[in-house]
Amino acid sequence: MKPLTTEEVESQLKELDNWNFEDNQIKKDFSFDNFKEALAFMVKVGFEAEDLGHHPNWSNVYNSVSIKLNTHDADNKVTKKDIQLAKAIDKIYKNN
């Protein structure tokens, strides 16, 4: 998979909800009312990621989830696959 240029990533970020691009990855922090909601979100994202064959770098502390996306097979750079997963994650968060 071919990495996106910086300009392409920045253009794609306009279609996402508050994702940031730095250190060759796109990232976003999510907040929830409690741990159960954060965990449920992670499970839903996990199923979507598996369906897309792409998996996030993420962490969870109590009611927050931090997600970072880049493509390991593309020299750890951002690809269309990352943008696709970020869009799916935003949709899951909005419907959570």
Side-chain angles (χ1 to χ4, degrees):
M1 176 139 309
K2 181 181 171 193
L4 299 174
T5 65
T6 298
E7 293 79 19
E8 289 171 325
V9 173
E10 290 173 354
S11 175
Q12 291 292 314
L13 287 180
K14 293 175 185 173
E15 297 180 24
L16 298 171
D17 188 23
N18 294 317
W19 286 78
N20 296 306
F21 175 57
E22 64 181 60
D23 299 327
N24 291 315
Q25 57 193 353
I26 57 174
K27 59 186 187 172
K28 183 174 177 179
D29 297 324
F30 299 85
S31 293
F32 302 88
D33 289 336
N34 54 54
F35 177 74
K36 286 172 116 177
E37 287 183 12
L39 182 59
F41 169 76
M42 291 179 74
V43 169
K44 291 174 189 174
V45 169
F47 280 110
E48 183 68 26
E50 184 66 20
D51 287 346
L52 294 174
H54 191 48
H55 306 94
N57 297 310
W58 58 9
S59 64
N60 162 246
V61 178
Y62 179 55
N63 68 337
S64 65
V65 176
S66 296
I67 299 178
K68 298 176 182 177
L69 301 174
N70 62 15
T71 302
H72 306 295
D73 295 342
D75 222 12
N76 292 319
K77 305 255 170 107
V78 176
T79 67
K80 289 181 181 180
K81 207 174 205 183
D82 301 299
I83 302 299
Q84 183 181 11
L85 182 53
K87 287 178 180 179
I89 291 169
D90 278 348
K91 186 175 180 180
I92 291 166
Y93 186 68
K94 287 177 186 174
N95 293 326
N96 207 27

